[in-house]
Amino acid sequence: EAQVTQNPRYLITVTGKKLTVTCSQNMNHEYMSWYRQDPGLGLRQIYYSMNVEVTDKGDVPEGYKVSRKEKRNFPLILESPSPNQTSLYFCASSSSGAGAAPAMVGYTFGSGTRLTVV
Amino acid sequence: ILNVEQSPQSLHVQEGDSTNFTCSFPSSNFYALHWYRWETAKSPEALFVMTLNGDEKKKGRISATLNTKEGYSYLYIKGSQPEDSATYLCAFEAGGYNKLIFGAGTRLAVHP
């Protein structure tokens, strides 16, 4: 089954304790992206990757890191989480990079990670 | 700043009612307009991706129209059913930007 697998689904952590949210897709997609969703706001892009070893900042990159060492994996790293990073996070992938050509079949999203930083 | 507005914010309808909601987006530098359906505790699923002015797409009882010149898209649901209850997201894709810009969504509740 074509899917984006995100882990964990739920995470409660303490301020300053490094964590990683994993994202893996099995569709051989070049484009992958991380979004966060906060109440009353649309999904906001954190980072994206057009291909292996090619990553760039989105709209809200502060406090986050990513890497793209393999095509299928795109982990999101919070080196020193803070309470303002409490949010619902989604990983997404697409067969064509947004901006290069329209993602005609839309994005495929992971199941989401609800992160609480206390 | 590229902004996408969706209205209404939430909507309650009775089973069998037809309903529609609006997505407004910048009319310049248009590339594509996406609609997603997002059920509680699940991930957003793509409904439509539209690229041409005047485009109309249909999937079962759900359809969408696109006006790129004036910067709006409508999503219609005919004969709403309780299983249509979800948040409907639209997202604007601009040329040269490597992202989708999402609206805050319209939350639809269909009551039996």
Side-chain angles (χ1 to χ4, degrees), chain A residues 9 31 35 42-43 45 48 50 59 88 90 98-100 102-104 106-107 109-110, chain B residues 31-32 34 36 38 41 43-44 46 49 51 89 93 96-100 102-104:
Chain A
R9 286 291 302 271
Y31 180 87
Y35 284 83
L43 289 161
Q45 191 186 53
Y48 67 93
M50 299 290 283
D59 294 322
L88 177 60
F90 284 104
M104 293 306 298
Y107 285 13
F109 283 86
Chain B
Y31 222 50
H34 298 222
Y36 291 85
W38 183 17
S43 51
V49 179
T51 58
L89 303 171
E93 190 174 355
Y97 289 81
N98 296 305
K99 64 183 176 186
L100 295 183
F102 283 85

Side-chain angles (χ1 to χ4, degrees), chain A residues 3-117:
Chain A
Q3 61 185 356
V4 176
T5 303
Q6 218 180 301
N7 282 298
R9 286 291 302 271
Y10 301 93
L11 180 59
I12 301 174
T13 190
V14 296
T15 299
K17 186 177 180 183
K18 181 179 178 179
L19 66 93
T20 299
V21 183
T22 62
C23 174
S24 181
Q25 50 95 2
N26 62 1
M27 296 164 282
N28 202 36
H29 285 170
E30 291 184 348
Y31 180 87
M32 298 185 75
S33 183
W34 277 101
Y35 284 83
R36 62 178 285 173
Q37 202 276 327
D38 300 293
L41 299 177
L43 289 161
R44 293 180 293 166
Q45 191 186 53
I46 303 170
Y47 268 94
Y48 67 93
S49 170
M50 299 290 283
N51 212 326
V52 175
E53 302 293 2
V54 180
T55 64
D56 209 345
K57 297 176 181 178
D59 294 322
V60 287
E62 294 78 21
Y64 304 95
K65 285 173 61 176
V66 292
S67 68
R68 189 90 180 274
K69 293 185 170 59
E70 308 160 284
K71 200 170 189 178
R72 63 184 292 123
N73 295 323
F74 190 45
L76 180 70
I77 303 154
L78 284 73
E79 293 270 1
S80 182
S82 62
N84 65 11
Q85 293 178 297
T86 293
S87 188
L88 177 60
Y89 292 86
F90 284 104
C91 178
S93 73
S94 170
S95 56
S96 58
M104 293 306 298
V105 295
Y107 285 13
T108 302
F109 283 86
S111 51
T113 296
R114 189 167 290 281
L115 173 66
T116 302
V117 184

Side-chain angles (χ1 to χ4, degrees), chain B residues 51-66:
Chain B
T51 58
L52 299 175
N53 184 45
D55 233 356
E56 290 190 29
K57 300 262 185 175
K58 187 173 181 182
K59 186 182 285 189
R61 293 178 292 97
I62 304 176
S63 60
T65 62
L66 179 67

